[in-house]
Structures are given as structure tokens and as C-alpha cells.
Amino acid sequence: MGLRGRLRERGGMTNPASFHHATCGLCGRRADGIGFSPGGRPPAVWVCNDCGLARARTATRMRDFDAVERRAFALAARRAGQFLDTIGKTDLAVLTTEEYESFLRAFQTHFVEEIRRLVEGEATP
Ligand SMILES: [Zn+2]
């Protein structure tokens, strides 16, 4: 059973909780030792400096973090597609190594930006 399944068994919610302190529970990049636990109890959501404590706090209150993740994925996929449009190649097989890495980087960069933006948008005053 994956992490999400274990989380559902525990609480029935799809929080971005991460049991591993090395991985940011929001963007999936390297965490920086910042963790947030609702009510001060584990499991903590570990995040990177760029996602930050405020977003971690917001994310743990979300009803369905998975839906936010899927939305960020879709937006990032669109941006990666736009990168292909700019170089005029849609067949991945004809990309150079540099173009392929730029395509993947476009996806990753936009995924990270979108997930942070979407979580921020969920913040309650
Ligand atoms: Zn992060």
C-alpha cells in the first residue's frame, strides 16, 4: 500500500503528509527540515524552504490535496506542451538530449510553481 493509502486508512483525508523528512510533501523536491503537524501530533508534513511553513499549514487543512496535485500536473503538462510548440517538435523521438531535458525541466518547474500557487490560493485569511 502506498503512502496515500496509508494516510486514507489513518484519517480518511488526502493530506500531503509526508512521513519522510527528506522529501517536501508539497512539491516533491528535497525538504529542508521544516515540518508542520496539525495539533502538534505526527505525522508531520515536511516541506522545503520554498514551499514554506505557511503553505504546509494550509495544505494540511485541505480536504483533497490529491485534486490540487492533479490540477498542478495538468497545468504543468500544458506548459511542457507549449515548450514543444515553441521549438516546433511534437515527436519526442526527434528531440535532442538538450531539448528533451528542457521539456522535462519545463514540466517540473511549472509543476512546482503551480502546486505552490494553488496551495496559496487555498489559504484562508
Ligand atoms: Zn516544496
Side-chain angles (χ1 to χ4, degrees):
M1 181 187 302
L3 175 62
R4 298 277 179 217
R6 276 182 283 145
L7 288 172
R8 276 191 202 99
E9 273 199 339
R10 291 167 71 101
M13 293 175 71
T14 62
N15 286 337
S18 161
F19 293 109
H20 202 287
H21 66 276
T23 305
C24 176
L26 302 189
C27 73
R29 303 188 73 183
R30 189 189 63 239
D32 290 310
I34 306 166
F36 177 72
S37 294
R41 294 181 307 275
V45 177
W46 297 95
V47 293
C48 67
N49 283 331
D50 292 332
C51 285
L53 193 56
R55 285 192 191 92
R57 198 175 285 130
T58 300
T60 58
R61 286 195 297 256
M62 289 178 163
R63 285 175 193 271
D64 191 1
F65 182 75
D66 288 357
V68 173
E69 230 173 13
R70 285 192 299 271
R71 176 95 181 112
F73 188 96
L75 291 165
R78 193 176 309 150
R79 296 300 194 137
Q82 286 169 353
F83 165 77
L84 293 177
D85 290 341
T86 64
I87 62 170
K89 295 180 180 178
T90 52
D91 181 355
L92 296 185
V94 302
L95 298 183
T96 65
T97 302
E98 291 75 22
E99 288 168 339
Y100 186 61
E101 287 175 359
S102 294
F103 165 70
L104 296 176
R105 194 172 304 113
F107 176 83
Q108 185 200 27
T109 301
H110 284 103
F111 177 81
V112 168
E113 283 174 5
E114 291 298 343
I115 196 111
R116 288 177 187 152
R117 189 180 63 80
L118 291 171
V119 168
E120 228 169 72
E122 293 283 324
T124 47

